Amino acid sequence: PNYPQSFLCIIYKKVFRNLEEDCDQYLNCEDLHLLNNISNSCYMDSVLTVLFAIPNKFITSKILYQELPKNPSKKYLRCDDNKEQDYLRRTFLQKVLRFLVRSMRTSGKIHVCTQLRKYIGRCNPPQPFHEGGQEEAGEFVQFLFDIFGISHTKRERHTYKTNSLAKRIPKSKLLHTHVVKDSKSSNIIMVNSYLLYEYRKKRNISLRTFLKIKMDTGELDEPYIHKGKGYIRSIEYEQLIDAPYLVFWVNRTDPIKNRIIRADIKPPQRIVLKSGRKLSLNGIVCHQGGMHKIGRKVITGGHYVAYYRCISGEWYYYNDLPLTNELVGDEGKYNELISKKDIRRNGVLYFYVQI
């Protein structure tokens, strides 16, 4: 029968995509063809390895094979003001990522990220990822998620008012004024430097701590009026309720002394969200090195490396300079793995996937 060409294309894509996913379950991490460093690409190479080298359904469906909208909503970062050009540039970027991922997992034809940088440059990135300078790995993850509209997280923010200035306040002295629910927020949890600075002297800081954040105004200059009554203090609790995929982005730059905060973070092997969904640690990006100040500008030096979990449960260490992809431990030795100072004191990105 003479099926419409569009119908045949859909069948073709689905069949071969399923074949790819069936083959991926037999992936051997020792056989991966990971990227070499070129012009300060360590931040990009490390992120690409953790996101794409090992397949997971969320990244596959939401980035590699997402049906890109021709008229994207505000959650998408635009590549161009012209709708047609925006769609074409986003589509080409997606295709380049697919070729890159296939090369990582099978052919090994792509050795550096030069072509990807070229197409990123056509998407008006907020940072010059295409120019070959030093950039932050967290900002690159944010860019990829924004380009593909990755915002599938549910959060709630509860606001309370009180006239007490005590550190611990009984519930009877807290007035719950309102709640804001957001079902399309970012899948990135930003642990800013001010928040990390408060925990810098503690050991074994769990990332679970940052699933619920407290924001306290202290004593207000002017009282907040609610239903005719004044309150001198406002307290907000923002809690993550549900997410199919999470990235913790830890900003380790000391906001006061312009140095790296070597806070001791212990990433839990598994996280159970308030919704009951279970997530498992799948990858870590670490920044090795320091920073120095030139005039008013703070220049970050050093190098990014990555740790990622293979389908078999084994953990591998990746470094693009020199190219290194080696087994560092199996899932049964998780505590031994995260006892490494590199992971605990240099980790800047922690990736969690649904179990």
Side-chain angles (χ1 to χ4, degrees):
N2 296 319
Y3 293 112
Q5 186 178 1
S6 59
F7 175 76
L8 293 174
C9 287
I10 292 171
I11 297 299
Y12 177 87
K13 288 179 181 178
K14 285 189 175 181
V15 169
F16 280 89
R17 178 181 167 186
N18 289 337
L19 286 175
E20 286 182 5
E21 291 178 352
D22 288 341
C23 291
D24 285 337
Q25 64 181 308
Y26 302 107
L27 196 64
N28 187 342
C29 287
E30 291 181 358
D31 298 331
L32 290 173
H33 304 279
L34 302 179
L35 297 170
N36 287 281
N37 187 288
I38 181 170
S39 303
N40 300 304
S41 66
C42 59
Y43 72 92
M44 186 176 292
D45 297 339
S46 297
V47 167
L48 292 172
T49 295
V50 174
L51 280 178
F52 299 111
I54 307 303
N56 71 78
K57 291 182 179 180
F58 182 81
I59 294 298
T60 299
S61 63
K62 300 303 181 184
I63 294 183
L64 296 178
Y65 289 96
Q66 180 190 159
E67 187 85 27
L68 296 175
K70 293 186 177 181
N71 187 20
S73 62
K74 292 182 179 180
K75 72 176 184 178
Y76 288 83
L77 178 67
R78 299 294 292 265
C79 283
D80 195 279
D81 291 335
N82 181 282
K83 291 181 180 179
E84 291 183 3
Q85 285 297 317
D86 175 71
Y87 176 73
L88 287 174
R89 292 180 183 185
R90 200 186 308 276
T91 300
F92 277 123
L93 180 60
Q94 186 185 50
K95 288 181 179 179
V96 171
L97 279 172
R98 285 183 196 166
F99 288 136
L100 181 60
V101 171
R102 281 293 100 202
S103 173
M104 283 183 174
R105 299 177 188 173
T106 55
S107 67
K109 292 181 179 179
I110 301 175
H111 304 288
V112 292
C113 61
T114 303
Q115 189 178 23
L116 178 63
R117 277 178 162 171
K118 174 184 174 182
Y119 282 92
I120 286 175
R122 296 177 180 179
C123 275
N124 301 319
Q127 302 296 331
F129 302 122
H130 55 295
E131 293 182 0
Q134 293 184 355
E135 302 296 338
E136 288 220 18
E139 290 180 344
F140 181 60
V141 175
Q142 185 75 69
F143 167 73
L144 285 178
F145 280 23
D146 288 346
I147 280 289
F148 293 99
I150 306 298
S151 54
H152 304 274
T153 300
K154 294 181 181 179
R155 285 184 168 90
E156 289 184 2
R157 177 176 291 190
H158 294 263
T159 303
Y160 298 86
K161 307 299 180 184
T162 182
N163 284 315
S164 173
L165 296 176
K167 288 186 177 181
R168 295 184 178 181
I169 307 173
K171 288 186 177 181
S172 59
K173 291 188 177 181
L174 287 173
L175 175 67
H176 185 246
T177 56
H178 61 275
V179 58
V180 176
K181 297 183 179 181
D182 186 356
S183 61
K184 295 182 179 181
S185 63
S186 173
N187 287 68
I188 298 175
I189 294 181
M190 181 66 186
V191 182
N192 63 56
S193 53
Y194 292 96
L195 186 60
L196 190 63
Y197 190 77
E198 294 179 7
Y199 291 91
R200 69 193 184 283
K201 294 183 180 179
K202 295 184 179 180
R203 290 182 59 83
N204 299 328
I205 304 169
S206 174
L207 291 174
R208 294 188 185 96
T209 304
F210 307 111
L211 293 175
K212 185 176 182 179
I213 302 299
K214 177 183 177 182
M215 292 160 281
D216 191 341
T217 63
E219 186 173 4
L220 298 169
D221 293 333
E222 295 183 4
Y224 173 86
I225 307 300
H226 179 74
K227 294 184 178 181
K229 186 176 180 180
Y231 296 91
I232 63 171
R233 184 181 180 186
S234 178
I235 301 174
E236 290 186 342
Y237 291 95
E238 182 175 285
Q239 183 170 14
L240 188 141
I241 305 300
D242 189 35
Y245 190 95
L246 274 182
V247 181
F248 289 86
W249 176 8
V250 180
N251 185 350
R252 291 183 176 271
T253 306
D254 190 324
I256 300 174
K257 299 182 180 179
N258 287 325
R259 64 185 181 186
I260 299 296
I261 304 174
R262 300 298 181 191
D264 186 8
I265 292 179
K266 181 181 179 181
Q269 187 173 8
R270 290 180 175 82
I271 288 176
V272 180
L273 303 179
K274 189 176 180 181
S275 64
R277 194 193 297 263
K278 297 178 181 179
L279 303 179
S280 178
L281 183 65
N282 196 53
I284 303 167
V285 172
C286 299
H287 183 261
Q288 302 169 336
M291 59 193 303
H292 54 279
K293 197 173 182 181
I294 301 178
R296 294 184 178 181
K297 189 175 182 181
V298 177
I299 306 297
T300 303
H303 183 63
Y304 285 99
V305 299
Y307 296 83
Y308 65 95
R309 182 166 59 89
C310 202
I311 294 174
S312 61
E314 297 171 326
W315 280 86
Y316 278 74
Y317 166 74
Y318 165 69
N319 187 344
D320 69 354
L321 187 67
L323 185 58
T324 306
N325 182 40
E326 60 185 16
L327 177 68
V328 292
D330 58 37
E331 196 167 18
K333 297 180 180 178
Y334 174 77
N335 289 329
E336 181 181 330
L337 174 72
I338 62 167
S339 66
K340 294 178 178 293
K341 186 179 290 187
D342 189 28
I343 289 177
R344 298 170 71 98
R345 301 179 70 84
N346 295 327
V348 291
L349 292 169
Y350 300 88
F351 298 76
Y352 283 83
V353 300
Q354 183 173 332
I355 300 175

